[in-house]
Amino acid sequence: MKRVPAFVTVLGLALLSARTISYPTAQPSVADTILVNGHIVTVDARFSTAQAVAIAGGRFTAVGTDAVVRKMAGPSTIVIDLEGRTAIPGLADGHLHDAGGGPGVDFSRARTMADLLAAVAARVKQSRAGDVIMSNSDWHEAQLTEHRLPYRRDLDTVSPDNPVVVVRGGHEYILNSAALKKWNITKDTPQPPGGRITRDAQGELNGELVDRAKALVQVPPGPALTIEALIEQHKLLNAAGLTSIRYPGASIEQFRLLQEMARTGRLTIRVNQLMRFPAADSAASMREAVASLHVKPDEGDEWVRVGGMKLAVDGGFEGAWMREPYLEPWGEKGTFRGVNTMKQAPFTDVVKELNRLGWRVATHAVGDAAVDEVLEAYEAANAEMPIRSRRWTIEHGFVPQADQFPRMKALGLVISAQDHLYLAGPSLVNYWGPARAAPTTPMRTYLDQGFVVAGGTDSAVVPYPPLWVFYHFVTRETISGGVLGADQKITRKEALQVQTINNAYLTFEEETKGSVEVGKLADLVVLPEDILTCPPKHIEQMKVDLTIVGGKVVYRRQ
Ligand SMILES: [Zn+2]
C-alpha cells in the first residue's frame, strides 16, 4: 500500500484495501505541485478543458482555473508554468512487450536491403568462427524500400559461414544456410503443427520459419532481465509520454521484479501484466501453470497489477489465420490461410479452465478465422460462468467480420488494438490484397459498433511512440504505403480516449486513472502543441515536453 495521508481516519484506513482505494473527500489545503497557465484537456466525460491543476499525495486535488488552483500553493509547492501549452492525461499502451533494442544486430534504422545486409556484415566481422549472429526484433520489411524480407540467399552473401538468425517481430525467424545446417533443417523436415517452414518459388527453403517452426532453432539465451534493464526501458517510454503500460504476456519473474521496483520507488510507469504459458495446451497443464504463479487474478495495486492470462491462436502479419486464402503467390494456390497456433478443442478447454479458476483471458487473434475460434471458446466458457462483465479481450483483431460483432458484444469483449498498419501496410496489402488489408484494425467500425477500444503498439513489433498511434488512427497514414482505409479514421478526441481512459477501462482502473479529474492518479503529459488542433503531420513529429506520473516528474525534455 502507498503512503496514507494523515487525514484518513482510523475507520477509513480499515476500509482501504489493495484492491479498492478510497479517497478522502476533504481537500488538502496545500498542493505538492501545481500546473498553471495551461490548456489542459481532461478527457473527462464532458471532454472539458481547464487552465490549471493541483496535485497532492500523487493525486489531482483540483482541476480548474488559475485563480482557484493558485490558492492551493504554499511556500514549498512546486509551481510549473505551462505557458499556454497543452496537457493531456498520461498516455497508455495496452499491448507493449518491451521497448525494443537489445544486444542483437540493430535493423531499426535500415531503410534498404543493402543497409540491413551491411549491418549483418559488420557483425560478422566482429565475430569468431561458429558464433551465432542474432538480430533484434524491432524492425519490419515494410520499412525497406524493397518491401520484402531478407531471405537465406541474401544473408548468405554477407555471412557464408556464421549462422545468422534474423528475428522479425514475435512470430518469425529467417535463417541463412549455415544456420539451417546447424539446426538440421532441410527440405525433408516436416511442417511442425502450428508453424511453417517457408519455401521460395523454386521449392527451396528460403530460411523463413514462422510461429511454432521457430522451435526448431535453439537460440542462445538473451541477457537476463534485470531491474536496471527495466528502468532503462521505462525511461524511454516515459520520454514518449507513456505513464501506463500493459505487458501482454510475461513471466512471473518479471512480475516480481516490477513489484520490487514499486516497493523501492524505482517504478516510473504503471504496469499491468498478463501472464503467459505458451506450452500449457490442456486444462490440466494450465491449472498446474496457474498454481505455480502464486498470484491471484487481478492481484496488485495502482503500480503493478496482474491483468489476466494471455493466450494466442494464430500468427502475426504473415501468419494471421484467415477465413479466405492469402493472395497468390502467398496463398499457395488457395491452400494457405495462415497459421492456427492452437487448435479449437484444446484452446476451448484451456479457456474454460481459466474461467473456472477466476482468470480473465486475453487472446491474440489477428485473422478473422482466429476471431471465430476465440468466440467459440469464449461462448463455451460464458455458458458455464458468465464473462460479460469481466472485460475479456481480443488482442489485435485486424480483420473482424460483420457477423462477429454481435457475438463479441454479447460477451462484453474489449478490443486491444494497435497501429501495425502504420508500419506494415504495404506487406499486408501484398499478403491479403487491398480490399482486405486497407481496413486492417477498423477503428471507426469498432467505435461505431460501441466497443471500448484500448490502443497500443505491440512494441517492439511496432515502434513504441504513442503519438505515432494517435497520428495513424486519425489519418490512417502509413510509413511507406500512403493512406490505407481512409474511412476508418477516428477523431482526435476519440484517439485520445483510446489511449487514455479506454486503456484504464481495459484494466478495471477507469475510476482511478485515465483522465484529469479530482481524486484520480496524477499522471499527465505536457505537449508543445495542441494535439487536438495542430496540423496532422506535427503529431507524428511531436516531442513530449514533460511527463508526470503520480505527481512526480519522470521526464523533462532538455
Ligand atoms: Zn503482441
Side-chain angles (χ1 to χ4, degrees), residues 205-465:
L205 297 186
N206 62 12
E208 193 184 13
L209 304 176
V210 181
D211 285 303
R212 296 201 177 204
K214 286 164 61 187
L216 296 167
V217 175
Q218 290 81 49
V219 296
L225 191 64
T226 61
I227 285 179
E228 288 66 34
L230 286 165
I231 289 172
E232 282 311 305
Q233 297 220 354
H234 294 166
K235 271 189 195 163
L236 294 172
L237 304 179
N238 289 150
L242 288 167
T243 61
S244 287
I245 53 174
R246 175 169 169 266
Y247 285 120
S251 66
I252 187 68
E253 289 76 21
Q254 173 174 311
F255 186 75
R256 296 300 182 204
L257 284 183
L258 292 163
Q259 284 185 315
E260 172 68 13
M261 289 167 73
R263 206 163 28 238
T264 52
R266 285 181 285 177
L267 200 55
T268 62
I269 198 160
R270 304 185 192 280
V271 176
N272 192 279
Q273 182 181 310
L274 304 176
M275 299 297 169
R276 174 94 169 114
F277 294 97
D281 57 0
S282 69
S285 58
M286 181 54 84
R287 193 163 55 241
E288 215 173 283
V290 164
S292 75
L293 287 170
H294 303 291
V295 291
K296 287 200 261 327
D298 291 308
E299 176 179 318
D301 59 20
E302 69 197 38
W303 285 101
V304 185
R305 192 184 292 281
V306 178
M309 188 66 69
K310 169 83 180 299
L311 302 177
V313 296
D314 70 344
F317 299 124
E318 62 298 311
W321 192 36
M322 303 292 249
R323 289 180 177 180
E324 302 298 327
Y326 281 46
L327 210 64
E328 297 307 329
W330 292 273
E332 297 173 11
K333 301 190 174 66
T335 62
F336 186 66
R337 297 194 295 118
V339 181
N340 180 204
T341 57
M342 193 170 180
K343 297 270 175 269
Q344 182 77 64
F347 178 67
T348 302
D349 283 351
V350 166
V351 165
K352 284 163 75 175
E353 185 64 19
L354 285 167
N355 193 32
R356 287 178 206 125
L357 295 169
W359 279 73
R360 289 190 286 136
V361 178
T363 307
H364 165 115
V366 175
D368 46 8
V371 172
D372 286 334
E373 178 170 332
V374 170
L375 290 174
E376 187 170 326
Y378 284 11
E379 283 166 353
N382 187 58
E384 282 188 359
M385 216 164 83
I387 64 165
R388 209 190 133 72
S389 58
R390 313 249 331 272
R391 302 180 193 177
W392 285 27
T393 68
I394 288 179
E395 304 292 318
H396 313 314
F398 278 20
V399 286
Q401 300 298 337
D403 59 285
Q404 293 171 330
F405 294 131
R407 298 172 66 193
M408 290 157 72
K409 282 290 266 300
L411 295 167
L413 301 189
V414 178
I415 309 299
S416 167
Q418 304 79 30
D419 60 340
H420 297 88
L421 190 70
Y422 176 65
L423 177 73
S427 293
L428 299 185
V429 171
N430 287 342
Y431 293 148
W432 306 331
R436 213 172 5 166
T440 289
T441 315
M443 294 296 290
R444 179 75 273 148
T445 303
Y446 276 138
L447 294 181
D448 289 349
Q449 289 280 334
F451 289 103
V452 175
V453 185
T457 59
D458 206 2
S459 179
V461 176
V462 178
Y464 60 77

Side-chain angles (χ1 to χ4, degrees), residues 440-512:
T440 289
T441 315
M443 294 296 290
R444 179 75 273 148
T445 303
Y446 276 138
L447 294 181
D448 289 349
Q449 289 280 334
F451 289 103
V452 175
V453 185
T457 59
D458 206 2
S459 179
V461 176
V462 178
Y464 60 77
L467 295 179
W468 291 0
V469 179
F470 189 101
Y471 173 70
H472 171 69
F473 283 169
V474 302
T475 64
R476 298 290 292 191
E477 279 284 359
T478 62
I479 290 177
S480 65
V483 171
L484 288 173
D487 57 347
Q488 293 297 337
K489 284 178 197 171
I490 60 172
T491 69
R492 297 191 193 194
K493 284 183 176 176
E494 287 168 332
L496 211 44
Q497 289 168 328
V498 158
Q499 294 184 264
T500 58
I501 191 76
N502 290 11
N503 255 291
Y505 181 90
L506 175 73
T507 56
F508 283 92
E509 292 169 301
E510 75 274 19
E511 299 294 330
T512 57

